[in-house]
Amino acid sequence: MDSLISQLIEQKYLKSPQIIDAFKKIKRADFVPTEIIKEKGKSFVEEYNAPLPIGYSQTISQPLTVAFMLELLQPKLGDKILDIGSGSGWQTAMLCQIVGSNGFVWAIERISELKDFGQANLSKYNFKNVEFIHGDGSKGLLDKAPFDKIITAASADQIPQQWKDQLKNKGRLVTPIKNSIWLLIKKNKNHFEEKEYPGFVFVPLVT
Ligand code: SAH
């Protein structure tokens, strides 16, 4: 087994079988710019537990952070998921793998070139259960709501009301706010169970 994945399992960042399986099947090296692969090599990228530049001042997230956020999100077979700030498409691809052909992932990215980059990277895997959208995800995606799960990769100052409104009851929202990751579970229209996990660094959500 890959040593980074074994390490994330040992350290209890990775726990759920469907998430571990997605980490094994979707290779991070398929989602970084080719110059980085040429310079550092595929196996370096696969084992590297840190963000890497993908252009436009953005990064592909750190594997540890993605593992932590996906474990909080608990994506499942058949889920409809909104992925805000799809960047390289790596996490989007893992979500497609997990939700399967009865689920669906909408991936929004505000930088048009990165939307194309993520989409091209993901095309290596032939998923049919995904749509990439160029736009501002800070208002969610009303057309396709409600979602079982919403995950965002960029940090806002506060959680937009639209994200909460666009979640199904029992739905889960995982998002960075400043330097914390927050998990919100929707109990009913106006009631959310909330938990904060401090100590992370994210690029800002640009609105
Ligand atoms: N999961 C991605 C993370 C990329 S970094 C990966 O691992 O590759 C976060 C991304 O959020 C960046 O690509 C950035 O352009 C995007 N972003 C920032 N604000 C946004 C907004 N309001 N709507 C959509 N995407 C946004």
Side-chain angles (χ1 to χ4, degrees):
M1 198 196 289
D2 299 58
S3 55
L4 175 58
I5 296 176
S6 338
Q7 197 184 314
L8 292 172
I9 294 171
E10 227 163 81
Q11 295 168 343
K12 309 262 189 298
Y13 284 105
L14 281 176
K15 292 180 270 201
S16 307
Q18 81 276 22
I19 301 174
I20 294 172
D21 185 55
F23 262 79
K24 287 183 188 162
K25 290 201 170 119
I26 311 295
K27 303 287 179 198
R28 194 172 185 239
D30 287 333
F31 295 84
V32 302
T34 44
E35 308 84 74
I36 294 186
I37 301 292
K38 279 193 198 132
E39 194 191 324
K40 312 238 188 225
K42 257 192 175 184
S43 46
F44 172 86
V45 169
E46 289 301 332
E47 292 303 316
Y48 190 58
N49 195 6
L52 283 165
I54 53 172
Y56 311 92
S57 309
Q58 306 302 323
T59 55
I60 180 169
S61 308
Q62 178 179 10
L64 181 153
T65 307
V66 175
F68 189 78
M69 292 181 82
L70 289 180
E71 287 291 349
L72 293 178
L73 191 72
Q74 280 299 308
K76 298 250 158 41
L77 219 52
D79 276 349
K80 311 267 186 260
I81 300 185
L82 179 62
D83 181 16
I84 299 171
S86 50
S88 68
W90 178 47
Q91 178 181 277
T92 311
M94 288 199 274
L95 291 171
C96 290
Q97 169 71 37
I98 294 169
V99 304
S101 53
N102 291 328
F104 206 88
V105 181
W106 287 272
I108 307 191
E109 171 53 57
R110 63 176 277 277
I111 299 174
S112 139
E113 291 86 348
L114 283 182
K115 176 252 173 197
D116 293 344
F117 176 66
Q119 193 165 16
N121 291 335
L122 206 124
S123 70
K124 297 170 191 166
Y125 287 84
N126 239 338
F127 289 116
K128 308 254 183 293
N129 55 352
V130 61
E131 183 185 343
F132 280 82
I133 296 141
H134 170 226
D136 174 10
S138 65
K139 295 176 180 59
L141 188 63
L142 189 57
D143 285 22
K144 308 294 178 189
F147 303 99
D148 296 291
K149 316 270 158 76
I150 299 177
I151 185 163
T152 80
S155 162
D157 284 340
Q158 55 180 40
I159 298 177
Q161 185 60 39
Q162 288 96 333
W163 295 355
K164 293 180 169 183
D165 293 343
Q166 292 175 23
L167 210 52
K168 290 183 192 172
N169 280 344
K170 300 204 177 95
R172 296 165 86 90
L173 165 65
V174 175
T175 181
I177 298 294
K178 301 187 182 119
N179 291 324
S180 291
I181 291 171
W182 284 81
L183 165 65
L184 273 73
I185 303 172
K186 190 166 185 169
K187 296 294 173 187
N188 59 49
K189 192 174 180 316
N190 297 312
H191 182 217
F192 289 77
E193 188 183 310
E194 301 185 352
K195 203 154 182 213
E196 179 182 6
Y197 302 86
F200 294 87
V201 179
F202 290 92
V203 298
L205 184 81
V206 182
T207 54

